[in-house]
Amino acid sequence: MGAGFFYSYHLCWSRPDVRTLLGDLEAEGLRPAHPVTGRAVLVSLDSASPGSRSPVTREQLLDVAGLRRLPEIGFRLWSDAGPDLLVRVRRARPGVVALDFSVGELPGPEREHAVSAIRRTVGRASVLCIGFVVDRTGATAATDWDSVVIEGAAPLDVWPDTVAVRDETAARHPQLAVMDAVDMSPWKVFGNAVLGV
């Protein structure tokens, strides 16, 4: 993944969830269809062929991104302004899927548009979204965000722009439990850029 990122964590992931996510992202100006070919592009995440690309139809993307057969997939999203970013969909824990958006690949204005668009998309899925992390520079890339957001574990040595977790997760985490947060149902939201997300 690039330096900056937006991670979100979701329960009960399936093909209909992928369809809803892609529809919401498209409404926000982030599209899985290549601007010239109109096809989605899968990106290899394995070490044998990192970054190799395979064009697929939208239906094929919906099938593989539901993770029925694979533990993770990568694909590209294009913004209306032109630049694209990598999205990785992966099983973070049993019953929890993580969506990793590499927003650090984008120039400043496009990155801010993408962060806002992804945040609004996550907000529409808030019942199934158990939390998210925004780090525009990637300063916290070494943090075990899966443990923080899912389990309320793992220490925070460096803070991201924003981290949002469910109330019960914040209460379990030694640092988040004693920090001030903004309530944005169903999450407690922490960080310097809470209001800007």
Side-chain angles (χ1 to χ4, degrees), residues 133 135 137-143 145 148 155-161 163 175:
V133 182
D135 183 342
T137 65
T140 65
T143 301
W145 287 114
V148 173
L156 300 176
D157 297 324
V158 182
W159 286 86
D161 298 315
V163 59
Q175 290 162 287

Side-chain angles (χ1 to χ4, degrees), residues 4-195:
F5 59 83
F6 190 123
Y7 296 162
S8 64
Y9 295 85
H10 303 260
L11 301 173
C12 307
W13 191 253
S14 65
R15 189 178 196 274
D17 297 310
V18 178
R19 183 184 303 279
T20 300
L21 173 80
L22 290 181
D24 288 346
L25 288 169
E26 287 170 324
E28 295 287 348
L30 296 173
R31 307 182 193 299
H34 187 279
V36 175
T37 67
R39 295 185 67 128
V41 178
L42 294 181
V43 178
S44 174
L45 301 172
D46 65 34
S47 57
S49 57
S52 64
R53 297 174 176 213
S54 303
V56 295
T57 66
R58 183 183 182 85
E59 291 304 310
Q60 289 169 324
L61 177 60
L62 291 173
D63 284 340
V64 297
L67 301 184
R68 289 186 321 187
R69 296 183 187 98
L70 300 170
E72 70 175 0
I73 67 128
F75 65 94
R76 304 300 296 187
L77 279 179
W78 280 266
S79 70
D80 286 344
D84 64 311
L85 65 125
L86 177 65
V87 180
R88 180 170 67 151
V89 182
R90 62 185 173 83
R91 294 216 179 276
R93 297 286 191 277
V96 181
V97 165
L99 305 176
D100 303 349
F101 297 87
S102 59
V103 297
E105 297 178 11
L106 299 172
E110 287 84 0
R111 181 178 55 239
E112 292 310 308
H113 169 75
V115 166
S116 296
I118 296 163
R119 170 60 188 91
R120 286 188 295 272
T121 297
V122 167
R124 286 191 279 277
S126 63
V127 173
L128 297 177
C129 178
I130 60 172
F132 61 88
V133 182
V134 181
D135 183 342
R136 289 167 175 84
T137 65
T140 65
T143 301
D144 183 356
W145 287 114
D146 292 5
S147 291
V148 173
V149 175
I150 298 169
E151 298 154 359
L156 300 176
D157 297 324
V158 182
W159 286 86
D161 298 315
T162 307
V163 59
V165 296
R166 295 283 176 98
D167 287 345
E168 61 273 14
T169 306
R172 283 193 303 268
H173 193 278
Q175 290 162 287
L176 298 180
V178 297
M179 299 283 298
D180 290 333
V182 173
D183 285 318
M184 295 174 73
S185 184
W187 312 292
K188 286 198 174 295
V189 185
F190 304 84
N192 297 334
V194 170
L195 300 177

